[in-house]
Amino acid sequence: MAEEVVLDLEELRQLQNIAKRPRVLHLISSEICNLEKLRESASVSSAKPEVEPAVPVPVSSSVKPVSPSVNYVTLGTFSWDQDSEKVKVYISLEGVDEDKVEAEFKPMSLDVKIHGVQGKNYRCAIPKLHKEIVPEKCKVLVKPKRIVVTMFKSSRGNWMDIHYKEDKIKPSLEKEKDPMAGIMDMMKNMYEGGNEEMKTTIAKAWTDARSGKAGDSLKGL
C-alpha cells in the first residue's frame, strides 16, 4: 500500500506541473495533501514494534497437601528387667518388620512406634523414666515374637521402678546434721497443743535438752 501511495503522489505532482486551471490545481493539491497524510500514517504504523501477547504467569498455590494422621494402638503392657548398667524392655508382638520400627530415646523418656503389623500401627511410650539414660547408646532388637529395647543408665545402680516416682520422704539437711532436731520439733508441737501442766513440763525438758540433760527430762513425758 505504501508503494501505491508514492506512485500516486508522483503522478499527481506531474499533473500539477502541467495543469493551468485554478479549479484543477486546487483539486490536485487537495489530493496530494490527503495522500501525504496517508503515507505518514502508514509509515508510523509500520514503525511500531509488534507486541507479543502476554503469557499468563502461573500462580503457585500456598495450600500444602496435608499428610494423613497416623493412628496407633497403645501397648501399655510390657515387661522389663535390669542390671546395674542397663534396663531392658520386652514388648510382645509378632510379625514386626525391623525397618518399620522407630525408636526415639531422650535422657528421661522412651517412645517406640511400630508400623504395618497386620494393617495396624502400635506405640509403646514411657513419658518419664525413673532416672536418666544415655540416648546414643540405646538400641532396639526385633525378634520373631517380641521387641527388645535396651537402655543404658546414665549412672550405675538399681531402679525401684521404670516409671518416674517422686520421693515422698525428703529428710532435712538440718535434721541430718542435728539428731535432736526431730525431737525438738515434736516437743514444739506438743507444747503448742498441750495444757498448762504439759507446757510447763515441756518447757523444762526443752531447757534441759539445750543444757545436755534431755534424757532425764523426757522421762516425764
Side-chain angles (χ1 to χ4, degrees):
M1 181 179 177
E3 293 179 359
E4 293 292 330
V5 172
V6 172
L7 292 174
D8 290 344
L9 282 171
E10 289 179 357
E11 191 168 340
L12 284 170
R13 288 192 180 101
Q14 291 175 4
L15 292 173
Q16 188 180 29
N17 291 332
I18 62 175
K20 297 190 181 290
R21 293 186 62 80
R23 181 179 174 78
V24 175
L25 288 170
H26 177 72
L27 291 172
I28 293 172
S29 297
S30 179
E31 188 62 25
I32 288 173
C33 289
N34 292 333
L35 289 175
E36 285 179 346
K37 289 178 181 179
L38 182 62
R39 184 182 64 176
E40 289 176 2
S41 63
S43 63
V44 171
S45 62
S46 63
K48 290 182 179 178
E50 294 183 1
V51 180
E52 296 182 359
V55 179
V57 179
V59 179
S60 61
S61 175
S62 59
V63 180
K64 297 181 180 180
V66 179
S67 57
S69 58
V70 181
N71 295 322
Y72 292 95
V73 177
T74 301
L75 294 171
T77 303
F78 56 84
S79 58
W80 69 285
D81 64 10
Q82 65 174 321
D83 57 29
S84 61
E85 295 182 351
K86 58 185 176 293
V87 178
K88 287 189 176 183
V89 176
Y90 303 96
I91 304 170
S92 298
L93 192 63
E94 297 184 21
V96 177
D97 187 349
E98 188 172 359
D99 295 333
K100 294 183 179 180
V101 177
E102 297 178 10
E104 183 180 8
F105 298 100
K106 293 182 179 180
M108 285 294 292
S109 66
L110 163 68
D111 191 358
V112 180
K113 297 177 182 177
I114 307 127
H115 301 94
V117 181
Q118 298 180 356
K120 293 182 179 181
N121 303 310
Y122 295 88
R123 185 175 187 177
C124 179
I126 303 176
K128 197 168 185 180
L129 295 165
H130 183 68
K131 290 186 178 180
E132 288 192 8
I133 60 173
V134 184
E136 57 270 20
K137 294 178 67 176
C138 301
K139 58 185 179 179
V140 177
L141 177 64
V142 177
K143 294 190 174 185
K145 293 187 177 182
R146 66 179 181 177
I147 300 170
V148 182
V149 181
T150 303
M151 298 180 291
F152 285 81
K153 299 176 180 178
S154 178
S155 58
R156 295 169 64 93
N158 289 326
W159 290 8
M160 300 301 295
D161 197 337
I162 195 168
H163 297 280
Y164 175 81
K165 290 185 177 179
E166 187 176 0
D167 293 335
K168 294 183 178 180
I169 302 175
K170 294 183 178 179
S172 170
L173 293 176
E174 293 297 327
K175 292 180 181 179
E176 289 181 357
K177 293 178 182 178
D178 184 5
M180 292 296 295
I183 297 174
M184 291 298 181
D185 288 344
M186 181 187 68
M187 291 173 64
K188 182 179 179 181
N189 293 333
M190 292 172 64
Y191 181 87
E192 291 176 353
N195 54 26
E196 290 299 324
E197 184 180 357
M198 176 65 72
K199 288 181 178 181
T200 302
T201 304
I202 292 175
K204 183 176 184 303
W206 203 329
T207 303
D208 292 344
R210 289 181 178 275
S211 62
K213 301 177 181 180
D216 295 337
S217 300
L218 291 175
K219 288 181 181 179
L221 296 178

